[in-house]
Structures are given as C-alpha cells and as structure tokens.
Amino acid sequence: METVSDFFGKLVFDDRVMKAKLSSDVYQSLKKTIDQGAKLDISVANAVASVMKDWAVENGATHYTHWFQPLTGITAEKHDSFISPAPDGRVIMEFSGKELIKGEPDASSFPSGGLRATFEARGYTAWDPTSYAFIKGKTLCIPTAFCSYGGEALDKKTPLLRSMEALNKQALRILKLFGNTDVKHVSTSVGPEQEYFLIDREMYEKRKDLIYTGRTLFGAKPPKGQEMDDHYFGVIKPRVAEYMEALNKELWKLGILAKTEHNEVAPAQHELAPIYTTTNIATDHNQLTMEIMQKVAQRHGLVCLLHEKPFAGVNGSGKHNNWSIATDTGVNLLTPGDTPHENAQFLLFLCAVIKAVDDYQDLLRLSVATAGNDHRLGANEAPPAVVSIFLGDELTAILEAIENDEPYSAAEKTTMKLGVDVLPKFPRDTTDRNRTSPFAFTGNKFEFRMLGSSNSIACANMMLNSAVAESLKIYADRLENADNFEEKLHEMIKKTIKDHKRIIFNGNGYDDAWIEEATKNRGLLNYKTTPDCMPHLLDKKNVEMLTSQKVFSEAELKSRCEIMLDNYCKTLIIEATTMADMARKEILPAVESYALEIANTAAAKKSVIAGISTEYEEELLKKLTCEAQQISVKTDELNEEIMKVKDISDIEEKSYAIRDGVLVKMNELRAVADEAETVTAEKYWPFPTYGDLLFGIK
Ligand code: ADP
Ligand code: MG
C-alpha cells in the first residue's frame, strides 16, 4: 500500500529534488539565493529551468505558469505550454531561465488602483525562489511576485516579502546587541487554522445568493442551530470524513503539512490546520489550500464555503494566524529562555510585539477588513473589532512587577532586575486559554484571530511584521547608542510596559463592558466596519512607518486603499442586486402562489358548506398579503439605494453611502422575507432552507 511518506511532496520541486537533480554548483548558488537573497545568475537560472522542466514533464506536466496573488485576493495564473517546434516538424519541450525568472501576463484587468495607467497595461511577474514550484493538474506552477514596470507591487506577495526582510534586518540588529553573532537570518513563521463550511452541491445550486455571493442573503432560523453545542469536536460524518481524507491526500502531495481537522461550533462547519512554516510559504500554502478545498468538494458532490458569514445567526468562519519569530539557528524568539540573558531578550521581543500592536492597532484591524469579515468581528462569536492582547495572568504579573520595581511574588524579596533574574517558569498552558482575544500569546507564539476565513494571510502578516520591525528599529537605535546596555534595556522595557499596557486585556473580549472600557477609558480604537478603518491606511503615521520600513511606497498604499474600498463596494452591490432579484423573481411569486392556494381553499370550503368559518384562511391570507406588500416595498427601496450610490465617484464616500444606505435596506428586506418564510408552506419556498443546508449532509 502507498503510504503518506511515499507521496508527500510528490508534486513539489523542493529541496530534496533540487539536491538530487541539480549539479552541486547550481544547487549551491540557488540555495544562496533562497536563504540569503543573493542575486541569481542567468546561467544558474537556465540550469534550474531545464531541470525543473524535465522533472515537471516526468510528473505529467505539459504547461507552466507564473502563479501569483493579485490584489483580488485569489490567485492568478496564465498557462503556457512547454512545447516548441523542432526543425524536423516534431516538438521539443523547452523552458528557459528567462521564462522561469520573468513573465509578462496581460495584466490590464487586474486591479491596480490607478497605479498602472491603462496604456501601460503591462506588469511583470518575477520568480520567488523562496517558495517551491509545484505541479497542479498538468501545470508547473512557479510562485512569483507581480509588479508594474515602474516597480510598484501589484500583488500581496511583494510587500509580504519586503516586510519579512524589514523584520529580519531589525531583529538581527537586536540579536547582535545580545551577542548572538552566529544568527544570519531571522524569519517569521505562521500556522493558519482555516475554518470552512461544507454543504450539499445540489442544494447550493438552487440558491442564487450562494452562487453569486458565497453567502445566504435570506433564510429564517432553523428550529435547531448551534445551541446544543453538539457539533464541536463531534463525530465526523462519513461523507465529510471521505472529503477530508481526499483533501489531505491532495494537500500532502503538494507538500502542505495539513495536520489537524475537526468539526467546529456551527453545524456543517469544520477546521483544517497545517503545521506552521515560513510566512511566505504558509501564505502560498493557505491560498492553495483554499483552492483545493473547493476543488475536492466539487468531486464529492459538496461545496466548500469560505465566506466569513455564510449563515446569519450561526457562527461565521475565521482563520487563526499563529505567528512567531525564529532564527536560522532554530531559536524561537518568543520562547522564554532559561538564563537571565535569554529572558531579557525574550522580554524585549515580547515588548516589541506589545508596542507594535498598540501603535498600529489600526493597521492590524484594516488588514483583515472586508465586507464579509464585517459580519463577524464584534458579533459575539469572533473577536471584537477592538484590538487587544491576551498575555495570561502570569506573564502580565511579571510585566507589572517590572514596571513597578516590585518583587514578582511574595516569596521573593528583591525586585526583578533584567539581566540578573531568571524569569519564573511559566508553563505553556493549554487549558487556561482565552478564546475571545483578538491577539493571544499562547506560550511561544501569538495567535491573531481576527482574520476572516477567505482573507489572504499575506495582508495581516505584512502589517504585523512591519509594525514589529518598527518597534525593533526604535529599540535598536537606542540600545546601539547606550552607554550602559543593561540599564538602557531595563528602562526601555519598563517604559514600553507603562506606555502600552492599555493594549493588554486578559478578560472576556466578547463582553460589552470591555468595549466600553477599551474605548472610553483606554482610548483603544473601535473601527466597526471596513469603510471606518480602511482610509486610516493613509494616516501620516502609517504611511511614514510603512514607507520607512520599505514595505510600501506611498503610491502603493493609495492604490491598495482604493482597491480595498472598491472591493467592499462591489461586494455589497452584487449582494444587494442578487437580493432584489431573488425577492422579485423567487420569493414574491412563492408567497403569492401560496396566498392563491389559501384563497382558493377558503372559496372552495364556502362553496361546499355555506357559512363555514374560513377565519384561519382569511387571517393567513391577510398576513401573506401584508408580507408580500412589505417585501415589494423593501425591494423597491433597496433598488433606489442601489441607484443612488451608482454615480458617486469618490470611493470613500461611496463606501459610506453603501454601508449606511444599501446595507441597511438589505437588512430590512431580509427581515420581512425571513418572516414570510416562516408562514409560507414549505413546498412553495423556492430554495433550500437553513435547515436543509446546515443539516443536509448525512
Ligand atoms: P490550537 O490549540 O490552537 O490548535 P496548536 O498548538 O495545535 O494550537 O497550534 C495551532 C497552529 O499553530 C498550528 O498550525 C501550529 O502549527 C501552529 N504553531 C505551533 N507553533 C508555532 C510557532 N512557533 N509559530 C507559528 N505557528 C505555530
Ligand atoms: Mg487556535
């Protein structure tokens, strides 16, 4: 029987393959490029391309593509075949270093937020050798960055790589100050836990809202929802288990370390978590995972919903971004150490994160902002829209002791002095876990929990890396010029705790009292919607930080802000239009047909028995007529709102108008339509109900 280790990574041009197939010189040069960012020679590229092509062809590939992540949030590819005519009329399979390194997709229809004027519609893709090439179907996929000819990033990968480099640079400065000169590279790792829903394909196909928008726009609450909590970690149904097995196999072939899977809180909701890896690879893998989840579902007569809120009244789906910083020598910098020296270093990195999250709450918030995620954040099922950090009681107490020059515990007599004391061991506690915090320390990593299930993790990580790089830069600047390193270090850590402790909150993040406390007393930001937060991308402090860390240019930031808001507007207009269409063409005719049946029943009864009571039919008929009337009125009002925002050209203004007009009317229409669903006979209802969708998989 074929075992997992036989096929794991079979479709990946990974280190094993490179080592086995490339000449030693070529392998060494490529390794240098991968590990240290050294420039790649064209002769090396040619050698790699040729070997890569042979390997791909052996594994069934006929085409290649530069695989990239444009700002649409999904991945893009343009396939070219390897074939090239030979003089004798046959074809040979060819692939050059030039084709490997650089591609020129016709990029005019990818969003650029005005960066690429349409007459200069060309952008180019550039090979990212730090992420392995892989085979999908019959195509060799080469992970690439996507830029304009002016050098501006048109994708999510470029700024992500730049942010990793920014963090590397500053972290190395700090490590050097602590005497760690053997470290050559510092990188961030991520393990993203991915939530999703599985529903039956036949049912899906009967709902225009799911087809066009990925979420249900109508649907009355089923008699049973998630209140029994019987789905979480429950037994996985056979059909779902088969799906998970097939999915794992596909992911493993691509070298994706899919590790855990379980049912989630909501019915039909599940989770998949991979083992963590370097951030840019984790990003590529998560994009691939989402794509393959959907593909495999199709093969199993299922649909995988990645929307953040497919069902109202039922928990939505998020993605937990487990993040840490590690050296190339294998040290996790977010792990408390055994010696006073290591501890001081740990505390400094911890403080860098605390400071970063407090200083750039807005960037973290907006990095996860989409129309879909707006339904989740702050809805008592996901973290609130207020960013805060959970550290746990023990670590918080340690920081307090440092801040106040007090002994950490009664047993100790002396105050904590960094560089002298060993921190008390605090266990990596998995039982006392706070699940309501947006940003939780979990022993040796932080878990950023605000991401939506369909978000690319690139956005959150580029902001996180940049903000932490900025804290580290400030620390390094001060420490490098300090007369007394240890004193300065102690003073800086104390100051960070004092200045930023407002961001630390160990209580229940879902509690309304916390939001009050956070915003009123602590002055933390509470940007509830995408239009609220996105424009802050262009706040002076944010532009200054992101440009000085060389992660974005100002033009890139402007274009991104515009694209994200445009995306928000388009999403909602598609949803609104779909709603109006479903209301007019499906829901109203259904309610009317049922009303007609009731009217006919009453008339028939009366014609058989004169004077018989038809009170029930009459009351119901009145109710149905009233509901239909309401639906019609609300549909008209929704259409009016859609028309109103059409001509607003300023994208910020438009996003507010949509949020405060269109979205409000969508909710009103939904309320009356859902009410009508509860009084309309089931056989008339035009599409599968919540009960059908959520409990439909046997
Ligand atoms: P949970 O209880 O939340 O499932 P786990 O320890 O299983 O916690 O980890 C969840 C995710 O965090 C997994 O994807 C795992 O690989 C990842 N993870 C574990 N350690 C690290 C680390 N040092 N850096 C980044 N991610 C990590
Ligand atoms: Mg988790």
Side-chain angles (χ1 to χ4, degrees), residues 51 98 110 117 133 194 302 357 389 437 479 493 542 567-568 657:
V51 168
K98 205 169 133 254
F110 291 110
Q194 174 76 48
L302 299 165
V357 174
I389 299 182
S437 175
L479 287 172
I493 289 182
N542 294 334
N567 201 302
Y568 174 87

Side-chain angles (χ1 to χ4, degrees), residues 29 292 376 448 488 493 622:
S29 320
I292 290 172
R376 269 179 81 238
F448 184 29
K488 188 82 195 165
I493 289 182
K622 265 193 236 160

Side-chain angles (χ1 to χ4, degrees), residues 539-605:
D539 285 359
K540 192 160 170 274
K541 79 167 189 19
N542 294 334
V543 174
E544 275 174 8
M545 187 276 278
L546 291 165
T547 53
S548 78
Q549 288 296 338
K550 300 199 167 48
V551 176
F552 284 106
S553 69
E554 192 164 355
E556 286 171 349
L557 287 171
K558 282 192 179 137
S559 83
R560 257 151 234 255
C561 181
E562 187 184 314
I563 289 166
M564 294 311 288
L565 285 173
D566 187 51
N567 201 302
Y568 174 87
C569 293
K570 282 183 178 143
T571 303
L572 280 165
I573 292 299
I574 292 170
E575 289 183 353
T577 315
T578 305
M579 270 191 110
D581 190 69
M582 287 171 79
R584 276 267 167 252
K585 296 189 186 146
E586 297 186 83
I587 297 176
L588 278 173
V591 177
E592 288 291 84
S593 301
Y594 184 45
L596 180 64
E597 184 189 314
I598 298 299
N600 286 340
T601 306
K605 279 185 177 174

Side-chain angles (χ1 to χ4, degrees), residues 193 320 322 433 435 447 449:
E193 300 165 66
H320 292 174
N322 294 275
R433 292 269 302 262
R435 300 203 165 268
E447 188 167 338
R449 302 205 178 103

Side-chain angles (χ1 to χ4, degrees), residues 189-191 193 274-276 322-324 332 428 433 445 447:
S189 298
V190 169
E193 300 165 66
I275 295 172
Y276 69 97
N322 294 275
W323 175 92
S324 66
N332 178 348
R428 222 201 117 194
R433 292 269 302 262
K445 62 184 189 291
E447 188 167 338

Side-chain angles (χ1 to χ4, degrees), residues 625-640:
T625 307
C626 175
E627 301 286 3
Q629 179 63 29
Q630 283 290 311
I631 293 172
S632 175
V633 168
K634 290 294 166 198
T635 306
D636 287 343
E637 288 177 8
L638 178 58
N639 279 325
E640 269 168 44

